[in-house]
Short mmCIF file of all heavy atoms in Angstrom, two decimals:
data_model
loop_
_atom_site.label_atom_id
_atom_site.label_comp_id
_atom_site.label_asym_id
_atom_site.label_seq_id
_atom_site.Cartn_x
_atom_site.Cartn_y
_atom_site.Cartn_z
N MET A 16 0.87 -1.27 0.00
CA MET A 16 -0.03 -0.01 -0.05
C MET A 16 0.77 1.31 0.03
O MET A 16 1.97 1.26 0.55
CB MET A 16 -0.91 -0.01 1.31
CG MET A 16 -2.13 -0.86 0.98
SD MET A 16 -3.28 -0.94 2.31
CE MET A 16 -3.46 0.59 3.09
N ALA A 17 0.41 2.23 -0.62
CA ALA A 17 1.10 3.53 -0.71
C ALA A 17 0.87 4.35 0.57
O ALA A 17 -0.18 4.25 1.22
CB ALA A 17 0.65 4.30 -1.94
N ASN A 18 1.85 5.06 1.00
CA ASN A 18 1.68 6.04 2.07
C ASN A 18 1.13 7.20 1.62
O ASN A 18 1.60 7.93 0.61
CB ASN A 18 3.11 6.31 2.72
CG ASN A 18 3.62 5.20 3.52
OD1 ASN A 18 2.79 4.24 4.06
ND2 ASN A 18 4.87 5.17 3.63
N VAL A 19 0.06 7.68 2.11
CA VAL A 19 -0.68 8.82 1.75
C VAL A 19 -0.71 9.80 2.94
O VAL A 19 -0.95 9.50 3.99
CB VAL A 19 -2.13 8.54 1.38
CG1 VAL A 19 -2.91 9.81 1.06
CG2 VAL A 19 -2.23 7.55 0.24
N GLU A 20 -0.31 11.16 2.51
CA GLU A 20 -0.20 12.10 3.61
C GLU A 20 -1.28 13.17 3.11
O GLU A 20 -1.27 13.57 1.94
CB GLU A 20 1.10 12.77 3.66
CG GLU A 20 2.12 11.89 4.34
CD GLU A 20 3.44 12.62 4.66
OE1 GLU A 20 3.36 13.76 5.00
OE2 GLU A 20 4.44 11.96 4.63
N ILE A 21 -2.04 13.57 4.10
CA ILE A 21 -3.06 14.69 3.87
C ILE A 21 -2.63 15.87 4.74
O ILE A 21 -2.49 15.75 5.93
CB ILE A 21 -4.48 14.20 4.16
CG1 ILE A 21 -4.82 13.03 3.35
CG2 ILE A 21 -5.40 15.32 4.04
CD1 ILE A 21 -6.22 12.38 3.64
N GLU A 22 -2.52 16.99 4.05
CA GLU A 22 -2.28 18.26 4.72
C GLU A 22 -3.49 19.14 4.77
O GLU A 22 -4.00 19.48 3.77
CB GLU A 22 -1.09 18.97 4.24
CG GLU A 22 -0.67 20.20 5.03
CD GLU A 22 0.51 20.87 4.30
OE1 GLU A 22 1.49 20.12 3.90
OE2 GLU A 22 0.72 22.15 4.39
N LEU A 23 -4.00 19.39 5.98
CA LEU A 23 -5.29 20.24 6.04
C LEU A 23 -4.93 21.70 5.82
O LEU A 23 -3.97 22.19 6.47
CB LEU A 23 -5.98 20.04 7.29
CG LEU A 23 -6.68 18.66 7.53
CD1 LEU A 23 -7.33 18.60 8.84
CD2 LEU A 23 -7.73 18.40 6.40
N ASN A 24 -5.75 22.45 5.16
CA ASN A 24 -5.59 23.87 5.02
C ASN A 24 -6.66 24.48 5.97
O ASN A 24 -7.83 24.51 5.74
CB ASN A 24 -6.03 24.24 3.60
CG ASN A 24 -6.04 25.75 3.38
OD1 ASN A 24 -6.13 26.50 4.23
ND2 ASN A 24 -5.82 26.13 2.07
N SER A 25 -6.06 24.95 7.17
CA SER A 25 -7.01 25.37 8.29
C SER A 25 -7.93 26.46 7.79
O SER A 25 -9.12 26.48 8.16
CB SER A 25 -6.16 25.80 9.38
OG SER A 25 -5.47 24.79 9.95
N ALA A 26 -7.40 27.50 7.06
CA ALA A 26 -8.29 28.50 6.59
C ALA A 26 -9.30 27.94 5.63
O ALA A 26 -10.52 28.54 5.82
CB ALA A 26 -7.43 29.58 5.95
N GLY A 27 -9.09 27.11 4.85
CA GLY A 27 -10.06 26.53 3.92
C GLY A 27 -11.13 25.72 4.71
O GLY A 27 -12.24 25.76 4.35
N VAL A 28 -10.68 24.98 5.69
CA VAL A 28 -11.68 24.20 6.52
C VAL A 28 -12.58 25.13 7.23
O VAL A 28 -13.78 25.00 7.32
CB VAL A 28 -10.93 23.22 7.49
CG1 VAL A 28 -11.88 22.60 8.43
CG2 VAL A 28 -10.16 22.16 6.77
N GLN A 29 -12.01 26.20 7.82
CA GLN A 29 -12.82 27.19 8.51
C GLN A 29 -13.83 27.86 7.58
O GLN A 29 -15.05 28.09 7.90
CB GLN A 29 -11.97 28.26 9.19
CG GLN A 29 -11.20 27.75 10.43
CD GLN A 29 -10.18 28.72 10.95
OE1 GLN A 29 -10.30 29.89 10.64
NE2 GLN A 29 -9.30 28.18 11.73
N GLU A 30 -13.47 28.25 6.41
CA GLU A 30 -14.21 28.86 5.42
C GLU A 30 -15.39 27.81 5.06
O GLU A 30 -16.60 28.26 4.92
CB GLU A 30 -13.44 29.12 4.15
CG GLU A 30 -14.25 29.94 3.10
CD GLU A 30 -13.46 30.28 1.89
OE1 GLU A 30 -12.17 30.42 2.08
OE2 GLU A 30 -14.03 30.54 0.85
N LEU A 31 -15.08 26.60 4.79
CA LEU A 31 -16.04 25.56 4.53
C LEU A 31 -17.16 25.44 5.58
O LEU A 31 -18.28 25.38 5.37
CB LEU A 31 -15.37 24.24 4.26
CG LEU A 31 -16.31 23.08 3.99
CD1 LEU A 31 -16.98 23.25 2.67
CD2 LEU A 31 -15.62 21.77 4.00
N LEU A 32 -16.68 25.34 6.89
CA LEU A 32 -17.57 25.24 7.99
C LEU A 32 -18.58 26.47 8.19
O LEU A 32 -19.53 26.14 8.80
CB LEU A 32 -16.79 24.97 9.41
CG LEU A 32 -16.14 23.59 9.42
CD1 LEU A 32 -15.27 23.57 10.64
CD2 LEU A 32 -17.03 22.45 9.37
N LYS A 33 -18.25 27.50 7.52
CA LYS A 33 -19.06 28.73 7.72
C LYS A 33 -19.80 29.05 6.32
O LYS A 33 -20.45 29.96 6.24
CB LYS A 33 -18.22 30.02 8.07
CG LYS A 33 -17.65 29.87 9.46
CD LYS A 33 -16.84 31.13 9.73
CE LYS A 33 -16.23 31.06 11.05
NZ LYS A 33 -15.47 32.28 11.36
N SER A 34 -19.71 28.10 5.42
CA SER A 34 -20.23 28.34 4.06
C SER A 34 -21.66 28.32 3.96
O SER A 34 -22.40 27.58 4.83
CB SER A 34 -19.62 27.40 3.08
OG SER A 34 -20.07 26.18 3.22
N ALA A 35 -22.31 28.84 2.89
CA ALA A 35 -23.74 28.82 2.67
C ALA A 35 -24.11 27.38 2.28
O ALA A 35 -25.21 26.95 2.73
CB ALA A 35 -24.05 29.74 1.48
N GLU A 36 -23.29 26.56 1.69
CA GLU A 36 -23.57 25.20 1.34
C GLU A 36 -23.72 24.34 2.59
O GLU A 36 -24.72 23.56 2.72
CB GLU A 36 -22.44 24.57 0.44
CG GLU A 36 -22.28 25.22 -0.87
CD GLU A 36 -21.50 26.63 -0.97
OE1 GLU A 36 -20.96 27.02 0.08
OE2 GLU A 36 -21.58 27.14 -2.04
N ILE A 37 -22.86 24.53 3.51
CA ILE A 37 -22.89 23.77 4.83
C ILE A 37 -24.15 24.32 5.55
O ILE A 37 -24.96 23.43 6.19
CB ILE A 37 -21.71 23.88 5.72
CG1 ILE A 37 -20.43 23.26 5.00
CG2 ILE A 37 -21.86 23.29 7.14
CD1 ILE A 37 -20.54 21.80 4.81
N ALA A 38 -24.51 25.52 5.54
CA ALA A 38 -25.71 26.09 6.19
C ALA A 38 -26.92 25.42 5.63
O ALA A 38 -27.83 25.07 6.35
CB ALA A 38 -25.79 27.60 6.07
N GLY A 39 -26.95 25.23 4.26
CA GLY A 39 -28.07 24.63 3.68
C GLY A 39 -28.24 23.29 4.07
O GLY A 39 -29.35 22.70 4.30
N ILE A 40 -27.18 22.46 4.15
CA ILE A 40 -27.20 21.03 4.61
C ILE A 40 -27.76 21.03 6.01
O ILE A 40 -28.56 20.15 6.49
CB ILE A 40 -25.83 20.37 4.45
CG1 ILE A 40 -25.44 20.23 2.98
CG2 ILE A 40 -25.85 19.06 5.20
CD1 ILE A 40 -23.95 19.97 2.72
N CYS A 41 -27.20 21.88 6.94
CA CYS A 41 -27.60 21.88 8.34
C CYS A 41 -29.12 22.21 8.36
O CYS A 41 -29.85 21.59 9.30
CB CYS A 41 -26.79 22.87 9.08
SG CYS A 41 -25.08 22.33 9.31
N GLU A 42 -29.52 23.21 7.65
CA GLU A 42 -30.94 23.60 7.76
C GLU A 42 -31.87 22.38 7.28
O GLU A 42 -32.87 22.18 7.95
CB GLU A 42 -31.17 24.79 6.81
CG GLU A 42 -32.60 25.25 6.88
CD GLU A 42 -32.78 26.68 6.14
OE1 GLU A 42 -32.02 26.97 5.20
OE2 GLU A 42 -33.78 27.28 6.40
N LYS A 43 -31.47 21.82 6.30
CA LYS A 43 -32.26 20.63 5.75
C LYS A 43 -32.37 19.48 6.84
O LYS A 43 -33.39 18.96 7.15
CB LYS A 43 -31.60 20.03 4.51
CG LYS A 43 -32.48 19.04 3.77
CD LYS A 43 -31.84 18.65 2.43
CE LYS A 43 -32.62 17.79 1.57
NZ LYS A 43 -32.01 17.54 0.37
N ALA A 44 -31.18 19.20 7.50
CA ALA A 44 -31.17 18.12 8.57
C ALA A 44 -31.93 18.54 9.68
O ALA A 44 -32.70 17.78 10.33
CB ALA A 44 -29.69 17.84 8.94
N ALA A 45 -31.83 19.87 10.14
CA ALA A 45 -32.55 20.38 11.38
C ALA A 45 -34.12 20.38 11.03
O ALA A 45 -34.87 19.91 11.90
CB ALA A 45 -32.17 21.80 11.67
N ALA A 46 -34.47 20.68 9.78
CA ALA A 46 -35.86 20.70 9.54
C ALA A 46 -36.42 19.32 9.43
O ALA A 46 -37.55 19.02 10.10
CB ALA A 46 -36.15 21.18 8.11
N GLN A 47 -35.65 18.30 9.01
CA GLN A 47 -36.04 16.91 9.14
C GLN A 47 -36.25 16.43 10.60
O GLN A 47 -37.15 15.77 11.01
CB GLN A 47 -35.02 16.04 8.39
CG GLN A 47 -35.40 14.61 8.28
CD GLN A 47 -34.31 13.80 7.63
OE1 GLN A 47 -33.28 14.21 7.19
NE2 GLN A 47 -34.74 12.53 7.21
N MET A 48 -35.29 16.84 11.49
CA MET A 48 -35.25 16.33 12.86
C MET A 48 -36.46 17.06 13.57
O MET A 48 -37.05 16.36 14.46
CB MET A 48 -33.98 16.63 13.50
CG MET A 48 -32.94 15.72 13.00
SD MET A 48 -31.41 16.01 13.97
CE MET A 48 -30.65 17.32 13.10
N THR A 49 -36.72 18.30 13.24
CA THR A 49 -37.91 19.02 13.94
C THR A 49 -39.22 18.27 13.55
O THR A 49 -40.10 18.26 14.34
CB THR A 49 -37.82 20.54 13.63
OG1 THR A 49 -37.89 20.73 12.28
CG2 THR A 49 -36.67 21.07 14.23
N ARG A 50 -39.40 17.95 12.21
CA ARG A 50 -40.59 17.23 11.83
C ARG A 50 -40.76 15.94 12.56
O ARG A 50 -41.81 15.58 12.94
CB ARG A 50 -40.46 17.16 10.26
CG ARG A 50 -40.89 18.31 9.53
CD ARG A 50 -41.15 17.93 8.00
NE ARG A 50 -40.08 17.20 7.35
CZ ARG A 50 -39.04 17.77 6.79
NH1 ARG A 50 -38.79 19.03 6.75
NH2 ARG A 50 -38.22 17.01 6.24
N ALA A 51 -39.59 15.26 12.70
CA ALA A 51 -39.69 13.90 13.35
C ALA A 51 -39.99 14.08 14.82
O ALA A 51 -40.51 13.05 15.41
CB ALA A 51 -38.27 13.29 13.28
N ALA A 52 -39.79 15.22 15.47
CA ALA A 52 -40.08 15.32 16.85
C ALA A 52 -41.64 15.38 17.24
O ALA A 52 -42.07 15.15 18.30
CB ALA A 52 -39.43 16.66 17.38
N GLY A 53 -42.37 15.64 16.21
CA GLY A 53 -43.81 15.72 16.31
C GLY A 53 -44.36 16.95 17.05
O GLY A 53 -45.44 17.01 17.43
N VAL A 54 -43.57 17.92 17.35
CA VAL A 54 -43.89 19.14 18.01
C VAL A 54 -43.65 20.27 17.06
O VAL A 54 -42.81 20.16 16.18
CB VAL A 54 -43.07 19.30 19.35
CG1 VAL A 54 -43.34 20.60 20.04
CG2 VAL A 54 -43.14 18.06 20.25
N GLU A 55 -44.38 21.30 17.22
CA GLU A 55 -44.21 22.55 16.33
C GLU A 55 -42.91 23.21 16.55
O GLU A 55 -42.80 24.23 17.33
CB GLU A 55 -45.32 23.45 16.48
CG GLU A 55 -46.68 22.69 16.11
CD GLU A 55 -47.60 23.58 15.11
OE1 GLU A 55 -47.06 24.62 14.76
OE2 GLU A 55 -48.67 23.08 14.92
N TYR A 56 -41.89 22.76 15.99
CA TYR A 56 -40.56 23.43 15.95
C TYR A 56 -40.19 23.94 14.58
O TYR A 56 -40.69 23.38 13.63
CB TYR A 56 -39.41 22.49 16.44
CG TYR A 56 -39.52 22.07 17.89
CD1 TYR A 56 -40.07 20.87 18.30
CD2 TYR A 56 -38.84 22.93 18.84
CE1 TYR A 56 -40.02 20.56 19.62
CE2 TYR A 56 -38.88 22.59 20.15
CZ TYR A 56 -39.47 21.39 20.57
OH TYR A 56 -39.45 21.13 21.86
N VAL A 57 -39.28 24.88 14.50
CA VAL A 57 -38.76 25.36 13.24
C VAL A 57 -37.27 25.42 13.36
O VAL A 57 -36.73 25.50 14.45
CB VAL A 57 -39.34 26.75 12.88
CG1 VAL A 57 -40.77 26.82 12.56
CG2 VAL A 57 -38.95 27.82 13.93
N ALA A 58 -36.60 25.16 12.26
CA ALA A 58 -35.15 25.19 12.21
C ALA A 58 -34.60 26.50 12.29
O ALA A 58 -35.12 27.39 11.51
CB ALA A 58 -34.67 24.41 10.97
N ASP A 59 -33.64 26.83 13.10
CA ASP A 59 -32.93 28.12 13.09
C ASP A 59 -31.44 27.82 12.83
O ASP A 59 -30.78 27.15 13.59
CB ASP A 59 -33.07 28.68 14.48
CG ASP A 59 -32.50 30.12 14.63
OD1 ASP A 59 -32.21 30.70 13.57
OD2 ASP A 59 -32.29 30.57 15.77
N VAL A 60 -31.02 28.46 11.73
CA VAL A 60 -29.63 28.21 11.33
C VAL A 60 -28.92 29.51 11.38
O VAL A 60 -29.37 30.58 10.96
CB VAL A 60 -29.56 27.63 9.90
CG1 VAL A 60 -28.15 27.42 9.45
CG2 VAL A 60 -30.25 26.37 9.85
N TYR A 61 -27.67 29.54 11.93
CA TYR A 61 -26.91 30.73 12.11
C TYR A 61 -25.48 30.45 11.98
O TYR A 61 -24.96 29.29 12.41
CB TYR A 61 -27.29 31.51 13.40
CG TYR A 61 -26.85 30.83 14.68
CD1 TYR A 61 -25.77 30.99 15.26
CD2 TYR A 61 -27.84 29.94 15.15
CE1 TYR A 61 -25.38 30.33 16.42
CE2 TYR A 61 -27.52 29.29 16.36
CZ TYR A 61 -26.37 29.41 16.98
OH TYR A 61 -26.11 28.69 18.09
N VAL A 62 -24.68 31.33 11.64
CA VAL A 62 -23.21 31.14 11.52
C VAL A 62 -22.63 31.73 12.92
O VAL A 62 -22.83 32.90 13.26
CB VAL A 62 -22.46 31.97 10.35
CG1 VAL A 62 -21.06 31.82 10.36
CG2 VAL A 62 -23.14 31.50 9.07
N GLY A 63 -21.98 30.81 13.63
CA GLY A 63 -21.29 31.08 14.85
C GLY A 63 -19.81 31.50 14.64
O GLY A 63 -19.39 31.80 13.56
N LYS A 64 -19.14 31.57 15.82
CA LYS A 64 -17.77 31.95 15.70
C LYS A 64 -16.89 31.07 14.96
O LYS A 64 -16.01 31.48 14.15
CB LYS A 64 -17.24 32.07 17.12
CG LYS A 64 -15.86 32.71 17.24
CD LYS A 64 -15.50 32.88 18.74
CE LYS A 64 -14.20 33.59 18.91
NZ LYS A 64 -13.81 33.71 20.33
N THR A 65 -17.07 29.78 14.90
CA THR A 65 -16.30 28.78 14.29
C THR A 65 -16.99 27.99 13.24
O THR A 65 -16.30 27.27 12.42
CB THR A 65 -15.77 27.77 15.40
OG1 THR A 65 -16.66 27.07 16.04
CG2 THR A 65 -14.75 28.46 16.24
N ARG A 66 -18.30 28.03 13.16
CA ARG A 66 -19.08 27.07 12.19
C ARG A 66 -20.57 27.52 12.18
O ARG A 66 -21.01 28.18 13.04
CB ARG A 66 -18.92 25.64 12.58
CG ARG A 66 -19.63 25.33 13.93
CD ARG A 66 -19.31 23.90 14.40
NE ARG A 66 -17.95 23.74 14.60
CZ ARG A 66 -17.31 23.33 15.59
NH1 ARG A 66 -17.96 23.13 16.70
NH2 ARG A 66 -15.99 23.17 15.64
N VAL A 67 -21.16 26.82 11.22
CA VAL A 67 -22.57 27.05 11.13
C VAL A 67 -23.32 26.15 12.24
O VAL A 67 -22.89 25.10 12.47
CB VAL A 67 -23.18 26.45 9.76
CG1 VAL A 67 -24.69 26.46 9.67
CG2 VAL A 67 -22.66 27.43 8.58
N ASN A 68 -24.31 26.67 12.89
CA ASN A 68 -25.08 25.99 13.89
C ASN A 68 -26.56 25.93 13.49
O ASN A 68 -27.10 26.80 12.87
CB ASN A 68 -25.03 26.81 15.18
CG ASN A 68 -23.60 26.91 15.66
OD1 ASN A 68 -22.98 26.03 16.35
ND2 ASN A 68 -22.94 27.91 15.38
N ALA A 69 -27.15 24.84 13.83
CA ALA A 69 -28.60 24.66 13.52
C ALA A 69 -29.21 24.16 14.78
O ALA A 69 -28.79 23.20 15.44
CB ALA A 69 -28.82 23.74 12.41
N ILE A 70 -30.41 24.76 15.21
CA ILE A 70 -31.16 24.34 16.31
C ILE A 70 -32.69 24.32 15.93
O ILE A 70 -33.04 24.95 14.98
CB ILE A 70 -30.94 25.28 17.56
CG1 ILE A 70 -31.34 26.72 17.20
CG2 ILE A 70 -29.50 25.15 17.99
CD1 ILE A 70 -31.33 27.59 18.51
N GLY A 71 -33.45 23.59 16.78
CA GLY A 71 -34.82 23.65 16.55
C GLY A 71 -35.47 24.42 17.73
O GLY A 71 -35.07 24.28 18.85
N VAL A 72 -36.32 25.39 17.34
CA VAL A 72 -36.91 26.29 18.33
C VAL A 72 -38.54 26.15 18.13
O VAL A 72 -38.95 25.96 17.07
CB VAL A 72 -36.44 27.79 18.26
CG1 VAL A 72 -35.00 27.93 18.61
CG2 VAL A 72 -36.77 28.40 16.96
N LYS A 73 -39.20 26.41 19.21
CA LYS A 73 -40.66 26.30 19.21
C LYS A 73 -41.21 27.47 18.32
O LYS A 73 -40.65 28.54 18.42
CB LYS A 73 -41.25 26.36 20.57
CG LYS A 73 -41.12 25.12 21.41
CD LYS A 73 -41.93 25.21 22.67
CE LYS A 73 -41.81 23.80 23.30
NZ LYS A 73 -42.66 23.80 24.67
N LYS A 74 -42.15 27.18 17.59
CA LYS A 74 -42.80 28.21 16.72
C LYS A 74 -43.21 29.28 17.65
O LYS A 74 -43.78 29.04 18.69
CB LYS A 74 -43.90 27.63 15.92
CG LYS A 74 -43.53 27.05 14.63
CD LYS A 74 -44.70 26.68 13.80
CE LYS A 74 -44.33 26.29 12.48
NZ LYS A 74 -45.43 26.09 11.58
N GLY A 75 -43.11 30.53 17.14
CA GLY A 75 -43.59 31.71 17.87
C GLY A 75 -42.60 32.21 18.93
O GLY A 75 -42.83 33.25 19.59
N ARG A 76 -41.55 31.52 19.22
CA ARG A 76 -40.44 31.88 20.16
C ARG A 76 -39.79 33.27 19.65
O ARG A 76 -39.36 34.13 20.43
CB ARG A 76 -39.50 30.82 20.37
CG ARG A 76 -38.37 31.09 21.37
CD ARG A 76 -37.58 29.97 21.62
NE ARG A 76 -36.20 30.34 22.09
CZ ARG A 76 -35.18 29.69 22.32
NH1 ARG A 76 -35.26 28.42 21.84
NH2 ARG A 76 -34.14 30.18 22.77
N ASN A 77 -39.46 33.24 18.32
CA ASN A 77 -38.83 34.54 17.85
C ASN A 77 -39.76 35.41 17.18
O ASN A 77 -40.93 34.92 16.74
CB ASN A 77 -37.82 34.05 16.74
CG ASN A 77 -36.69 33.16 17.36
OD1 ASN A 77 -36.30 33.42 18.57
ND2 ASN A 77 -36.08 32.40 16.58
N ALA A 78 -39.44 36.61 16.97
CA ALA A 78 -40.32 37.62 16.33
C ALA A 78 -40.45 37.30 14.93
O ALA A 78 -41.50 37.72 14.23
CB ALA A 78 -39.72 39.07 16.43
N ASP A 79 -39.53 36.55 14.26
CA ASP A 79 -39.49 36.13 12.91
C ASP A 79 -40.74 35.09 12.60
O ASP A 79 -41.15 34.96 11.49
CB ASP A 79 -38.22 35.47 12.37
CG ASP A 79 -37.14 36.49 12.53
OD1 ASP A 79 -37.36 37.77 12.54
OD2 ASP A 79 -36.03 36.02 12.72
N ASP A 80 -41.10 34.33 13.61
CA ASP A 80 -42.13 33.21 13.38
C ASP A 80 -43.50 33.64 13.39
O ASP A 80 -43.94 34.57 13.99
CB ASP A 80 -41.88 32.23 14.63
CG ASP A 80 -40.56 31.57 14.52
OD1 ASP A 80 -39.89 31.61 13.48
OD2 ASP A 80 -40.05 31.15 15.63
#
């Protein structure tokens, strides 16, 4: 077997973790989980200090709902 070395580009990984593409994936997964809970939750996705975060919040909790 060949020896394979992988060198991570920290700036690139950080950019990826905060990207719109990752936010979309997280939003889709959070929406799926909130539907499965059987309670009226909505997905809330936001970019934090180090990465995209997704949570489920009860409907009507935020002014946006």
Side-chain angles (χ1 to χ4, degrees):
M16 280 182 36
N18 287 336
V19 177
E20 287 188 37
I21 298 174
E22 184 177 323
L23 291 179
N24 176 336
S25 293
V28 172
Q29 289 174 15
E30 184 179 336
L31 175 66
L32 290 174
K33 294 180 181 181
S34 70
E36 292 82 6
I37 296 297
I40 292 167
C41 289
E42 183 173 22
K43 191 174 185 179
Q47 183 179 11
M48 287 186 278
T49 57
R50 282 193 306 273
V54 181
E55 298 225 5
Y56 286 98
V57 293
D59 183 20
V60 179
Y61 62 94
V62 178
K64 189 175 183 179
T65 60
R66 65 186 58 119
V67 170
N68 298 278
I70 60 172
V72 294
K73 284 189 177 183
K74 275 190 172 183
R76 181 174 158 192
N77 295 333
D79 302 330
D80 299 335

